[in-house]
């Protein structure tokens, strides 16, 4: 019985020893898992902090864009009111010019039969008519200059928005590192790489030159109409509407970019 008891104790000791080894391995695995989970939690905390920072930046940018949008909207509403007023003035001026031309024609037909006093009065009216025509010419020149300036301003705003959109998510330091890496891979100098990257800017400059040249040609065309022979109202209206339509299209592009941003 003692021998059986001793053997039974040895067997239990062996089983306990194996069980302890199993528990040790399990404990070691659990410690590894805890370490891994701890590292993951730390990484996730860093990621969450980064996301919070990005969220704060995005909220600030959204506020800025909303302010820009509201300001631009108010400016456009003011310009629409101004254009409506200018069109009404154009209609009034054209009606006045038609009446003046009719009156001047009647006065010229009866000059040979009228007295010197009537002739003097007709000359005064003709002088007044010429002054009104001159005032109309000044008004039209101011109007087309304002339209041309509005188109120029909205183009500049579109270019600034495009630059803002392009550089919004771009880091300057990363861009410099990327350029250096690209230059080393392509086996070219940094200046050559910058020259390649500036191609788009050169094309944008060329586009600005073309737009400026077109604006100059448009202003010269308006000048020729005003200095040319009558009638020119329909051609003048067509040229003005062309610039107004161009301005409206640019405004639509502007709002499209604003919405995209």
């Amino acid at each position: 019985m003692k021998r059986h008891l001793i053997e039974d104790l040895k067997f239990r000791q062996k089983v306990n020893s194996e069980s302890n080894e199993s528990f040790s391995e399990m404990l070691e695995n659990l410690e590894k898992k805890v370490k891994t989970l701890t590292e993951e939690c730390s990484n996730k905390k860093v990621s969450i902090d980064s996301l919070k920072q990005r969220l704060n930046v995005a909220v600030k940018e959204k506020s800025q864009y909303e302010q820009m949008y509201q300001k631009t909207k108010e400016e456009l509403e003011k310009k629409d009111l101004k254009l409506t007023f200018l069109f009404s003035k154009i209609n009034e001026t054209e009606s006045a010019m038609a009446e003046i031309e009719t009156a001047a024609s009647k006065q010229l037909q009866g000059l040979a039969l009228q007295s010197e006093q009537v002739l003097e009065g007709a000359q005064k009216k003709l002088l007044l008519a010429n002054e009104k025509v001159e005032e109309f010419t000044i008004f039209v020149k101011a109007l087309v200059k304002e339209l041309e300036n509005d188109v120029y301003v909205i183009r500049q705003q579109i270019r600034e928005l495009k630059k803002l959109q392009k550089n919004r998510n771009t880091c300057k330091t990363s861009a410099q590192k990327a350029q250096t890496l690209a230059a080393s891979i392509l086996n070219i100098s940094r200046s050559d790489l910058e020259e390649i990257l500036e191609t788009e800017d050169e094309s944008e400059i060329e586009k600005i030159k073309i737009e400026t040249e077109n604006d100059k040609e448009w202003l010269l065309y308006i000048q020729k109409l005003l200095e040319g022979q009558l009638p020119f109202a329909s051609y003048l209206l067509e040229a003005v509407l062309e610039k107004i339509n161009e301005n409206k299209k640019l405004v639509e592009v502007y709002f499209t970019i604003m919405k995209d941003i």
Side-chain angles (χ1 to χ4, degrees):
M1 287 177 67
K2 288 182 181 179
R3 187 175 66 251
H4 286 300
L5 180 61
I6 292 170
E7 289 177 355
D8 183 60
L9 290 173
K10 287 182 179 180
F11 177 76
R12 287 184 181 183
Q13 184 180 5
K14 182 179 180 182
V15 170
N16 288 331
S17 177
E18 291 176 354
S19 178
N20 287 334
E21 290 178 0
S22 176
F23 282 130
S24 298
E25 290 178 359
M26 185 182 298
L27 181 62
E28 184 179 355
N29 291 332
L30 288 174
E31 288 177 351
K32 290 181 179 179
K33 287 183 179 180
V34 169
K35 185 178 179 181
T36 303
L37 289 173
T38 302
E39 292 176 353
E40 289 180 355
C41 289
S42 177
N43 293 333
K44 287 183 179 180
K45 183 178 179 182
V46 173
S47 177
I48 290 171
D49 292 338
S50 176
L51 289 173
K52 285 182 179 179
Q53 293 178 356
R54 292 174 62 184
L55 179 61
N56 292 333
V57 173
V59 170
K60 291 181 181 179
E61 289 182 352
K62 180 184 177 183
S63 177
Q64 292 176 354
Y65 292 143
E66 287 177 350
Q67 293 177 359
M68 290 174 62
Y69 173 79
Q70 188 63 31
K71 183 179 179 181
T72 305
K73 185 179 179 181
E74 292 175 356
E75 291 178 354
L76 287 174
E77 289 176 353
K78 291 179 181 179
K79 289 181 179 180
D80 285 338
L81 292 174
K82 191 174 182 180
L83 282 174
T84 303
F85 174 75
L86 290 175
F87 274 122
S88 65
K89 286 294 182 182
I90 289 176
N91 293 330
E92 291 177 4
T93 307
E94 287 180 347
S95 300
M97 284 184 64
E99 293 175 0
I100 291 168
E101 289 175 359
T102 303
S105 178
K106 291 180 179 179
Q107 290 293 333
L108 290 173
Q109 290 175 1
L111 279 177
L113 303 175
Q114 292 176 357
S115 63
E116 184 178 356
Q117 184 179 1
V118 176
L119 180 61
E120 183 179 357
Q123 288 177 343
K124 288 181 179 179
K125 288 184 178 180
L126 185 60
L127 180 61
L128 180 62
N130 288 333
E131 289 177 355
K132 288 185 177 180
V133 170
E134 185 176 357
E135 285 294 319
F136 171 74
T137 302
I138 294 172
F139 165 76
V140 172
K141 288 182 179 179
L143 171 63
V144 298
K145 187 63 180 176
E146 185 69 17
L147 287 174
E148 190 269 337
N149 184 64
D150 286 348
V151 171
Y152 174 79
V153 169
I154 195 67
R155 283 176 185 160
Q156 291 295 108
Q157 290 176 346
I158 289 173
R159 291 191 182 97
E160 291 298 325
L161 277 181
K162 286 183 177 179
K163 288 181 181 178
L164 183 64
Q165 186 181 35
K166 181 179 179 182
N167 298 327
R168 182 166 171 259
N169 296 319
T170 302
C171 177
K172 184 177 179 182
T173 305
S174 298
Q176 291 176 349
K177 290 181 179 179
Q179 288 183 6
T180 304
L181 180 60
S184 63
I185 293 173
L186 297 174
N187 195 21
I188 59 176
S189 65
R190 180 69 176 273
S191 60
D192 292 337
L193 180 61
E194 291 178 350
E195 183 178 355
I196 294 172
L197 295 175
E198 288 173 356
T199 304
E200 183 178 355
D201 294 338
E202 292 177 357
S203 64
E204 186 66 21
I205 293 172
E206 185 65 26
K207 182 180 179 182
I208 295 173
K209 289 181 179 179
I210 294 173
E211 290 173 348
T212 304
E213 195 65 28
N214 291 338
D215 289 341
K216 288 181 180 178
E217 291 179 358
W218 181 75
L219 290 173
L220 288 175
Y221 177 68
I222 298 294
Q223 184 71 25
K224 288 180 180 179
L225 287 177
L226 294 175
E227 295 175 357
Q229 296 181 351
L230 296 173
F232 61 82
S234 61
Y235 299 104
L236 180 61
L237 180 61
E238 182 180 356
V240 172
L241 287 177
E242 177 185 355
K243 187 59 67 175
I244 290 174
N245 290 331
E246 181 182 359
N247 187 53
K248 286 183 178 179
K249 291 179 180 178
L250 289 172
V251 170
E252 290 175 359
V253 173
Y254 177 86
F255 278 113
T256 300
I257 298 174
M258 285 287 290
K259 289 179 181 179
D260 291 338
I261 294 177

